[in-house]
Amino acid sequence: MPTPPLSKNDQINIVGAGIFGLSTALHLTRRGYKYVTVFDKQPYDTTQYSYFKGCDGASADINKIIRSAYGSQTEYQQLSTEAIASWKQWNSDLENGIDVPEGMSRADRVFIQCGSLNLTDGDELPEFEKATIKNMEDAGHIDTQLITTNREHYTIAQSRGMGPAMDPFLREKRGKSNVGVLDSTGGVAIADKACRLALQKARKFGARFVLDPSAGAFDGFMTTSGGDIIGIQTKDGIRHPAKLTIMACGGWTPSLLPDLDGLCEATAGSVIIYKIPRTSSLWERFSPGQFPTWLWKVRDGAEGGLYGFPRDENGYLKIGYRGTKYTNPQRQNDGVERSVPITRWTEDRQLRKIPSQAMKVLRRFVAEYIPELADEGLQIQTTRVCWYTDSFDNHFFIDHVPGKAGLFVATGGSGHAFKYLPNIGNWVVDAIEGIGQERAAIQAWRWRELGGQKASNALMEGTKGARSLSNVSLTDEQDTRSKL
Ligand SMILES: Cc1cc2nc3c(=O)[nH]c(=O)nc-3n(C[C@H](O)[C@H](O)[C@H](O)COP(=O)(O)OP(=O)(O)OC[C@H]3O[C@@H](n4cnc5c(N)ncnc54)[C@H](O)[C@@H]3O)c2cc1C
């Protein structure tokens, strides 16, 4: 039976307070839904979405890239345009003191428009970048995509204070190739602070949050004899009836919801973090005023797939690798192997290393593109594996779960959903209410099967798969210098 229409007085449970859960709570309450409760096992009011304080959701991070550059996927390009306008509004809300979470100040910003640079090591721009340039121009965003080898574009970048972002690795000065495109609409989201701001906004509109390792932790569904979902039970044994339950547990969703078998899987990206001392000459060089977010050979497989950020306010310089995304298949009670996130902070077993392949590509890049780090004697401070929720086609999953009235999913971020924190929930509510179903994005996010098409991401290869963490060597960079 399909989920019956909701009234504004119905109880809605959201499981997961990452960006999908937060944004959905914000937009449901904004539209007048009175009884929205968000459950999370993370006590975010104390851990503040900080990886350093024990958070391991994908959204709980120092920073994330914001970009409009989406090649031919104009539905995401439009969504980014909408999101960027909201990010600017959120900055104004902070500046004007409209919403300032505890521990933050009016001087804080959640989005810095420092540009987002897509670099290749080839001589020519990849087709993806060419498509972005065309589609952004077609949409009226003229001269926003600045080609690094084009002198006129350099002048435009300079006039917008983005000159250094056109060659952040000083390639020209070093006599090396610097072929890429600066998406000047993009930049960096200050991820942890943005989540705290979203949480505060949702609370202001009336959403209730249960953020606790026991009272907030999903332990199972309340079901009817026909298999429909009428609420959840949390780890403390309490039952929470609801007309609609929305599962938004990021990388944990596929192992909590077997309906997603073959459709979504938790996969790990690898991250290294340096720390630039305030006294270093590199402090200014890597500041968001001088340095963009960047992606390098991001669609080029195991030997590429790097991205990075300007240093943050504490000097952390983060670089990530997604050229190979790893899995952690675990046999579950029903006998099926599903990839389950394992991190520095998981309860039973922890992972404090990253795969050697990731470290090899990261080190090679740093030696070639950022030799200053070694020149200044800076070493990796810490590493992280961060869990994506990959769908087979890289589109999100935002829909009612077939055959289970009362259950909805908002997941499948596939490594690119953070930038939509301010607006994705509005689309989730549209999908719940059945509004604007013909729109390309909503169509792309519907419940779907792989069918005959070739998957962008091969899923559920299990312990036999080459990307299973059990089959890859891990770096011996044990991270002993970490203060964690
Ligand atoms: C390495 C990496 C880099 C990325 N970079 C970018 C980027 O630069 N730009 C961008 O736009 N996107 C980026 N993304 C993607 C983006 O971070 C994700 O799409 C987004 O954060 C996913 O949000 P979520 O709400 O689905 O999941 P999460 O943020 O993981 O949140 C899931 C929540 O569910 C909770 N939960 C889990 N199990 C339970 C349970 N049993 N009970 C209660 N709560 C539970 C968790 O504690 C967590 O808070 C990146 C992702 C990764 C992994």
Side-chain angles (χ1 to χ4, degrees), residues 15-21 39-42 44 49 56-61 63-66 70 216-219 248-253 256 267 269-271 307 309 318 321-322 385-389 396 410-420:
V15 187
I19 69 104
F20 277 103
F39 296 86
D40 204 294
K41 60 185 174 139
Q42 267 295 330
Y44 283 126
Y49 286 89
D56 54 4
S59 309
D61 204 347
N63 40 30
K64 298 286 186 198
I65 296 174
I66 294 187
Y70 262 99
F218 169 87
D219 203 29
C249 298
W252 290 266
T253 322
L256 296 173
T267 67
S270 310
V271 169
Y307 58 91
F309 301 82
K318 191 180 100 181
Y321 169 78
R322 51 177 295 173
V385 288
C386 180
W387 290 85
Y388 300 100
T389 321
F396 311 152
T411 192
S414 305
H416 67 120
F418 192 93
K419 64 182 75 62
Y420 306 122

Side-chain angles (χ1 to χ4, degrees), residues 194-215:
C195 288
R196 288 162 65 190
L197 181 59
L199 177 60
Q200 156 132 347
K201 282 176 179 288
R203 268 201 179 118
K204 193 168 98 178
F205 279 101
R208 204 178 137 246
F209 284 83
V210 183
L211 307 172
D212 184 89
S214 173

Side-chain angles (χ1 to χ4, degrees), residues 357-425:
Q357 166 69 12
M359 187 60 94
K360 183 190 83 178
V361 181
L362 285 159
R363 283 205 182 284
R364 197 166 56 201
F365 177 87
V366 169
E368 166 68 18
Y369 282 76
I370 331 181
E372 299 87 334
L373 295 178
D375 295 346
E376 294 238 347
L378 298 177
Q379 295 186 329
I380 295 167
Q381 286 281 310
T382 194
T383 61
R384 171 180 186 180
V385 288
C386 180
W387 290 85
Y388 300 100
T389 321
D390 279 339
S391 67
F392 62 80
D393 57 5
N394 281 328
H395 290 298
F396 311 152
F397 263 82
I398 298 177
D399 204 351
H400 298 273
V401 177
K404 290 188 174 165
L407 187 59
F408 195 94
V409 281
T411 192
S414 305
H416 67 120
F418 192 93
K419 64 182 75 62
Y420 306 122
L421 168 60
N423 62 333
I424 192 69

Side-chain angles (χ1 to χ4, degrees), residues 112-134:
I112 303 172
Q113 194 173 351
C114 55
S116 174
L117 179 67
N118 248 296
L119 275 182
T120 170
D121 62 353
D123 300 330
E124 222 196 299
L125 289 180
E127 291 307 314
F128 183 95
E129 267 64 58
K130 290 181 189 163
T132 295
I133 294 168
K134 177 178 181 308

